[in-house]
Amino acid sequence: MDFWGEIVGQAEAVRVLRHAADAGGAPAHAWLITGPPGSGRSNLAFRFAAALIARTEHERGAVFEQVRSRTHPDLGVLTTQKLLIDIRAARDIVTTAHYAPAEGRYRVIVIEDADRMPERTSNVLLKALEEPPERTIWILCAPSEADLLPTIRSRARSLRLVTPATDDIARLLHERDGIDVDAAGRAARLAQSHIGMARRLATDPDALARRDSTVRIALGIATLGDAMRGAAALVRVAEADAAALTEVLDAREREEAMRSLGLAPGAAIPPQMRAQIRTLEEDQKRRATRSLRDGIDRILTDLLSLYRDVLLTSLAVAQRDSSPEREVGDPELVNLEHADAIAELGARWRPARALAAVSAVEVARDRLGRGITPGLVLEALFASALVAGETVGARP
């Protein structure tokens, strides 16, 4: 596969970065890669970093393997498992920006989730961008330009990614990961073109089952009591999802920390070494909190796809009722596996009610971003959908 072959649906972005990374060129000292979740921002950033570091095109594959594992000496990465990027971490990475490249053409620093930098942290980075070292290149990743300070945006060349086509993602899963064509297509559809989630759904039966459970729970909510029980059940789904993502990582980190302290796995920790292990455990707890909120956000994305399907179905029913002589096709559903239940709900709900449910998901996402307890966020979402039903009503 071509070096850029895993970047799907981003032909223009690849063209720009390929040209910038060519030997003899003079790439901008800072880049801002933006795009919707799942569009491949981080993957593209690390591909670009490897192309910048490698001295020849022939070296790019080997350099990328080091970049992907975060072990290349000319790569710096600023990311976080917390809700926000710590200012001390930003200061540390800015210090390394002044190091000369050890092996490659450039030293490259990638900031994942640059939108998680509060203003104080952003100002630390701003000073580095105002006086950039000659052979250091910054690559920032964020959902949109609006998520960063204007002063930072003005000092970086922006590159906006688009949402990849479902067929492109399915083809990548099949060609790169050897996933069955039908399974790859289903995963890409259910993930709504989110590349990372599509791969997970295609390779992890438990993740696929949890997503299916989310849709079934939402379809079964008809009363306020159902709403409360459904919210609690979805929190448990998110907790299971977060645990599946962090459990193995936590165990590996603890084992590595024990080894670095000269202790065998499972050995008693001497009092003088407990502070290091306690710090690790606190970081893991913060990561678990973020993973849970990320899991709730994924659930909201799945609920949005469900209510979107119901809305499109309801609109199709309304068009058929108003113009019986006009042929109206069935909408393309994301949740095709639940087509019968969606058709039944779409036949009962008016479009205004389905639209209110869609809006309730967006409100829930805003509340989650403001730190409101996930269970309360979901309870309010389902209650809002029920209240909208009483206000708008069902079809006669």
Side-chain angles (χ1 to χ4, degrees):
M1 184 177 285
D2 175 72
F3 178 76
W4 301 95
E6 290 189 14
I7 309 300
V8 297
Q10 313 294 347
E12 178 59 19
V14 168
R15 184 192 67 78
V16 171
L17 297 184
R18 186 194 296 268
H19 177 74
D22 283 346
H29 76 280
W31 295 76
L32 173 58
I33 300 177
T34 62
S39 58
R41 296 187 306 258
S42 293
N43 191 19
L44 183 58
F46 287 113
R47 285 273 170 186
F48 184 38
L52 289 168
I53 292 171
R55 293 186 178 276
T56 66
E57 287 195 27
H58 180 72
E59 291 181 353
R60 287 181 177 178
V63 170
F64 178 67
E65 291 304 314
Q66 289 182 281
V67 166
R68 181 163 55 182
S69 62
R70 314 294 197 267
T71 59
H72 198 285
D74 293 331
L75 175 75
V77 180
L78 178 58
T79 186
T80 184
Q81 295 295 338
K82 306 175 187 178
L83 295 176
L84 296 173
I85 293 178
D86 187 77
I87 191 171
R88 290 173 297 179
R91 286 172 177 156
D92 289 344
I93 204 74
V94 165
T95 299
T96 69
H98 295 276
Y99 297 166
E103 297 178 0
R105 293 184 297 149
Y106 296 99
R107 176 165 181 77
V108 181
I109 299 178
V110 178
I111 302 183
E112 294 186 284
D113 300 320
D115 55 303
R116 293 182 183 267
M117 292 190 298
E119 186 171 352
R120 289 178 62 242
T121 305
S122 296
N123 287 332
V124 171
L125 174 62
L126 178 60
K127 293 179 181 178
L129 296 181
E130 287 175 338
E131 300 177 3
E134 182 180 356
R135 296 179 64 191
T136 295
I137 294 178
W138 295 83
I139 306 175
L140 285 64
C141 302
S144 72
E145 293 184 12
D147 293 316
L148 279 80
L149 293 178
T151 47
I152 288 182
R153 299 200 303 264
S154 66
R155 287 164 174 78
R157 178 171 178 181
S158 292
L159 200 63
R160 174 71 180 176
L161 305 188
V162 298
T163 301
T166 300
D167 289 345
D168 289 337
I169 295 177
R171 189 180 308 111
L172 174 66
L173 294 177
H174 175 64
E175 295 177 354
R176 182 191 66 185
D177 302 313
I179 295 169
D180 175 76
V181 173
D182 292 338
R186 179 188 183 188
R189 168 172 51 81
L190 293 176
Q192 301 171 77
S193 295
H194 188 299
I195 298 173
M197 183 52 61
R199 186 177 188 281
R200 189 175 177 212
L201 292 175
T203 58
D204 185 350
D206 290 337
L208 188 62
R210 284 191 289 270
R211 190 197 184 282
D212 185 72
S213 177
T214 294
V215 175
R216 290 185 183 279
I217 289 170
L219 286 169
I221 291 174
T223 67
L224 189 59
D226 292 337
M228 300 302 104
R229 288 188 292 273
L234 289 183
V235 170
R236 290 194 293 272
V237 169
E239 289 173 342
D241 200 39
L245 285 171
T246 60
E247 186 174 351
V248 175
L249 181 58
D250 287 353
R252 184 170 67 244
E253 287 179 344
R254 184 178 179 87
E255 182 178 336
E256 290 174 353
M258 296 280 284
R259 188 182 302 113
S260 69
L261 295 173
L263 301 173
I269 302 172
Q272 64 271 25
M273 296 182 178
R274 288 174 186 168
Q276 294 96 315
I277 299 299
R278 191 178 305 114
T279 298
L280 173 63
E281 291 172 346
E282 290 172 354
D283 287 341
Q284 289 177 340
K285 287 179 181 178
R286 282 190 288 266
R287 180 171 61 206
T289 299
R290 174 179 167 180
S291 295
L292 175 59
R293 290 188 177 275
D294 287 347
I296 295 293
D297 187 70
R298 284 192 293 272
I299 284 175
L300 293 178
T301 298
D302 295 336
L303 293 177
L304 186 61
S305 76
L306 171 62
Y307 293 135
R308 169 261 187 201
D309 286 348
V310 174
L311 174 60
L312 293 181
T313 302
S314 181
L315 287 170
V317 172
Q319 288 178 333
R320 294 189 187 107
D321 290 345
S322 61
S323 304
E325 71 287 351
R326 181 182 174 188
E327 185 175 343
V328 179
D330 293 329
E332 292 187 7
L333 302 181
V334 172
N335 301 281
L336 191 58
E337 293 73 18
H338 300 275
D340 291 343
I342 290 170
E344 190 273 334
L345 204 58
R348 287 195 293 111
W349 284 16
R350 294 181 184 274
R353 178 176 180 181
L355 183 59
V358 168
S359 298
V361 176
E362 296 298 341
V363 171
R365 178 166 280 133
D366 176 68
R367 288 170 173 165
L368 184 68
R370 289 189 280 117
I372 297 176
T373 303
L376 296 178
V377 168
L378 292 172
E379 289 178 2
L381 187 161
F382 291 135
S384 296
L386 290 173
V387 170
E390 295 176 358
T391 303
V392 177
R395 285 189 174 91

